[in-house]
Amino acid sequence: MKGSASGRTSRPDQHRTAPPRGLVGFQVTKQHRRFVEFADAVRRHRYIGACYGAPGLGKTLSARTYAAADDWDRWATDRYTRGTTLPGSLLASRTLLYTPHVNVTARRLHLEVDIQTYALGADINRALDPDCHPDFDDDALTPSRTELLIVDEADRLKTSALEALRDFFDRSDIGLILIGMPGFDRQLARYPQLYSRIGFAHQYRPLDAEDIPTVLAHYWQQLGHPYDNNDPNHVEAANSVTRITGGNFRLIERLMTQTARVIEINNLDRITPSAVHAARQMLVVGTT
């Protein structure tokens, strides 16, 4: 690990991102499986990958799931507690998810990424070899085991910060995924040195049609109204949700939250198309 000495004494939990709030837990969809294939390729070949897509489709949720970010958040807090062990999910993923602040400087970004990738790699080394002491041994003898760095919302980084990431990538044996909004891939083309290192690009799309009934069934179950595909009212309500949201995860969650409110206010015993449309009137649908 080519990290600075200051990275050895700073706590890696200084820059954690709270997990997104959701009505139900994460659901594996075809789009998530495609993201996993993309991330595996970047991690295996140690390339830079660009992932882009509209807001609310589940890019961050997929990245957090792949990197076991929830487990990292808990571990970063408890790692100094006696008797704790590295979660198996982090040992398997060997991936760090990093979300920069809006006004982060290039120097700050490079320092935080260096500290956190080193911390995860050192923890993996300790888990694999209890006699290993990466904080004291020579770097050449205890290389970092972190294999992939995912930078969320990378499209808002300034040129100097992107150059800092490129420099970090060049000096580290690690894959790098940059996640951004639509057009992010074209934005990166303005930086030839960075763009020339991109080996994979992945467009994150809305939910596939075959995934929507399964996703809705999870939400409806959470609301206490199991989805019945033989009930014409349920089918029509599901079709209404699909038309309104266009397969956008975030809009589906917001619409279901408002639908639950409509059902409670009106003392309904089921989800109906009229309840969905009433919820739609209270929902801001547009830029998500």
Side-chain angles (χ1 to χ4, degrees):
M1 175 66 183
K2 297 173 274 297
S4 61
S6 61
R8 311 286 180 85
T9 58
S10 298
R11 290 177 61 88
D13 57 334
Q14 290 176 339
H15 186 77
R16 302 203 318 274
T17 302
R21 291 173 294 179
L23 191 64
V24 295
F26 181 78
Q27 300 167 53
V28 175
T29 64
K30 183 178 291 186
Q31 287 303 315
H32 174 68
R33 289 192 289 269
R34 289 170 179 164
F35 178 86
V36 169
E37 292 172 359
F38 159 71
D40 283 344
V42 174
R43 176 182 167 188
R44 180 169 56 252
H45 296 287
R46 301 296 200 272
Y47 282 161
I48 296 179
C51 175
Y52 57 96
L57 298 184
K59 302 185 299 298
T60 298
L61 288 174
S62 281
R64 289 190 64 86
T65 301
Y66 184 90
D70 288 348
D71 288 340
W72 166 253
D73 288 344
R74 288 188 288 269
W75 169 250
T77 301
D78 300 336
R79 67 195 299 266
Y80 299 104
T81 304
R82 185 183 301 274
T84 58
T85 57
L86 183 73
S89 58
L90 296 178
L91 188 61
S93 74
R94 304 193 182 192
T95 299
L96 177 74
L97 175 66
Y98 173 81
T99 305
H101 287 297
V102 174
N103 58 348
V104 68
T105 63
R107 182 178 182 277
R108 180 70 181 180
L109 180 144
H110 196 288
L111 179 63
E112 291 180 340
V113 165
D114 197 9
I115 290 173
Q116 294 185 48
T117 54
Y118 178 84
L120 176 59
D123 290 340
I124 293 172
N125 273 323
R126 291 190 189 93
L128 295 175
D129 180 7
D131 295 326
C132 173
H133 299 287
D135 290 337
F136 305 102
D137 295 342
D138 187 88
D139 282 316
L141 300 177
T142 56
S144 172
R145 298 280 184 171
T146 305
E147 297 178 354
L148 179 63
L149 169 66
I150 302 178
V151 181
D152 196 14
E153 300 187 19
D155 53 329
R156 66 189 186 186
L157 292 175
K158 297 180 180 178
T159 303
S160 57
L162 288 172
E163 282 298 304
L165 283 175
R166 180 187 66 81
D167 180 74
F168 176 81
F169 170 78
D170 287 345
R171 297 173 186 272
S172 309
D173 181 26
I174 188 172
L176 173 63
I177 290 178
L178 305 175
I179 298 179
M181 300 285 283
F184 180 49
D185 54 328
R186 296 191 296 273
Q187 176 187 339
L188 292 175
R190 299 200 293 265
Y191 311 103
Q193 286 189 309
L194 175 61
Y195 195 66
S196 65
R197 289 162 172 77
I198 295 178
F200 302 95
H202 173 70
Q203 182 177 5
Y204 208 107
R205 301 179 183 276
L207 287 172
D208 292 75
E210 58 266 33
D211 280 329
I212 291 181
T214 302
V215 170
L216 289 179
H218 280 81
Y219 278 102
W220 290 20
Q221 184 70 38
Q222 180 79 3
L223 297 175
H225 302 277
Y227 178 75
D228 182 1
N229 55 15
N230 294 317
D231 187 330
N233 279 318
H234 282 196
V235 174
E236 186 179 349
N239 290 337
S240 297
V241 171
T242 303
R243 286 193 301 270
I244 292 169
T245 64
N248 185 292
F249 246 134
R250 189 176 299 161
L251 282 180
I252 290 175
E253 178 173 298
R254 291 176 178 174
L255 184 61
M256 288 297 93
T257 300
Q258 293 291 354
T259 301
R261 180 167 172 264
V262 170
I263 290 173
E264 181 179 1
I265 291 174
N266 293 278
N267 295 318
L268 300 178
D269 59 359
R270 70 162 101 181
I271 297 176
T272 63
S274 59
V276 172
H277 287 294
R280 165 65 181 86
Q281 301 304 313
M282 298 180 285
L283 188 69
V284 176
V285 178
T287 301
T288 56

